Amino acid sequence: MNSLSLTPAERQQVDQGAWFSRLSEGLRGDILQRAFVRRLADDTMLSHRGEPAEEWCGVAKGAVRVSSVSLAGKQISLTYVEPGTWFGDIALFDGLPRTHDAYAHGDTTLLCVRKADFRALLQAHSELYDALLRLNCRRLRLMFDMIEDLNTRPLAARLAKQVLLLARSYGVQEGQGDEAVTRIGLQLAQEDLAQLLGASRQRVNQELKAFEREGAVRVEPTRLVVLSRDKLLAAASR
């Protein structure tokens, strides 16, 4: 890969990714050498459920919305893959079709590794097997946490936790001192947020208004601004 294909900010997102940054220098370099850059406009489909897996990808800018289709034919957002995160390896391992649809969310830049190059990386670097095993163990733990939260915790606590996660992944600090706030850069309609939580838009709207009254967040069109992380942490622990 020509490093000039990524902007400095995009390259930084890749290099500082929690998983990628822990790989050896040699493996990181080999991955980047084999990767190519793909730039997608908002809502461009990356892959479709049932398709064979052809690429392993890392997000350098924007996000990838992973979704499914309900029995009524409605697209339901399940998660958003953030910058610095790699995905698509499971279907390359087991050889089965993609399980979900994937779309660019906002202007998105991806680093993509073709299936043949992915297999070559595995053959050349046994370290990659261990690293991907740890990555998928983490995904599994997160999935179990999500299922447990869905069945045992009230919506307000789950919403506060989700807003904190979004702020950590997409937060942009604004202001200083007591005036400092965190604006969540990912554009999400309340319907999108509701889908992530398995709740109705109306209920999520009610809880967000309660957070606003408490001074925890400010709700803007398609944006959330975190005013008090401590208040959200308190709500998440209820």
Side-chain angles (χ1 to χ4, degrees), residues 180-191:
V181 299
T182 302
R183 183 181 300 276
I184 296 174
L186 186 70
Q187 293 189 9
L188 284 182
Q190 289 189 18
E191 177 65 27

Side-chain angles (χ1 to χ4, degrees), residues 116-137:
D117 284 315
F118 178 76
R119 290 176 174 170
L121 285 167
L122 289 172
Q123 290 178 352
H125 301 273
S126 59
E127 171 194 355
L128 184 56
Y129 277 105
D130 291 337
L132 288 171
L133 178 59
R134 290 193 300 271
L135 178 63
N136 283 296
C137 286

Side-chain angles (χ1 to χ4, degrees), residues 28-215:
R28 293 198 308 270
D30 203 358
I31 291 172
L32 295 176
Q33 185 65 36
R34 294 174 183 272
F36 64 94
V37 176
R38 176 178 290 179
R39 299 186 186 279
L40 303 173
D42 181 39
D43 212 34
T44 300
M45 174 172 274
L46 175 63
S47 60
H48 192 276
R49 180 175 184 169
E51 288 181 343
E54 298 295 338
E55 295 171 350
W56 178 48
C57 299
V59 182
K61 174 187 173 183
V64 172
R65 183 177 74 253
V66 178
S67 62
S68 185
V69 179
S70 70
L71 293 177
K74 181 181 178 181
Q75 281 281 344
I76 303 295
S77 300
L78 302 175
T79 189
Y80 291 82
V81 184
E82 65 195 62
T85 302
W86 291 76
F87 67 98
D89 48 282
I90 293 175
L92 290 177
F93 270 125
D94 64 19
L96 298 176
R98 298 290 192 194
T99 56
H100 299 90
D101 299 330
Y103 295 84
H105 189 77
D107 292 335
T108 299
T109 302
L110 301 176
L111 277 181
C112 300
V113 177
R114 294 181 178 88
K115 178 166 63 175
D117 284 315
F118 178 76
R119 290 176 174 170
L121 285 167
L122 289 172
Q123 290 178 352
H125 301 273
S126 59
E127 171 194 355
L128 184 56
Y129 277 105
D130 291 337
L132 288 171
L133 178 59
R134 290 193 300 271
L135 178 63
N136 283 296
C137 286
R138 180 176 181 275
R139 289 170 178 160
L140 190 59
R141 287 178 181 273
L142 289 173
M143 183 184 71
F144 284 147
D145 286 345
M146 182 182 68
I147 294 172
E148 181 179 0
D149 286 350
L150 186 62
N151 288 280
T152 64
R153 307 189 73 188
L155 176 59
R158 290 189 284 121
L159 177 58
K161 183 177 180 179
Q162 184 65 65
V163 172
L164 287 167
L165 290 173
L166 290 170
R168 185 182 67 185
S169 299
Y170 301 98
V172 179
Q173 299 297 317
E174 297 181 352
Q176 296 181 346
D178 293 339
E179 302 298 320
V181 299
T182 302
R183 183 181 300 276
I184 296 174
L186 186 70
Q187 293 189 9
L188 284 182
Q190 289 189 18
E191 177 65 27
D192 297 324
L193 194 54
Q195 289 176 12
L196 291 176
L197 295 165
S200 68
R201 186 195 64 78
Q202 292 79 7
R203 289 193 62 205
V204 168
N205 179 261
Q206 291 173 358
E207 297 296 348
L208 286 174
K209 286 182 177 178
F211 288 170
E212 266 195 313
R213 290 192 297 270
E214 295 170 2

Side-chain angles (χ1 to χ4, degrees), residues 153-154 156-157 211 214 231 233-238:
R153 307 189 73 188
F211 288 170
E214 295 170 2
K231 289 181 180 179
L233 284 170
S237 63
R238 292 171 189 165

Side-chain angles (χ1 to χ4, degrees), residues 7-39:
T7 68
E10 290 169 346
R11 179 60 187 269
Q12 183 179 41
Q13 290 281 21
V14 173
D15 288 341
Q16 294 183 352
W19 177 80
F20 188 79
S21 63
R22 290 182 172 88
L23 302 178
S24 68
E25 182 178 354
L27 176 53
R28 293 198 308 270
D30 203 358
I31 291 172
L32 295 176
Q33 185 65 36
R34 294 174 183 272
F36 64 94
V37 176
R38 176 178 290 179
R39 299 186 186 279

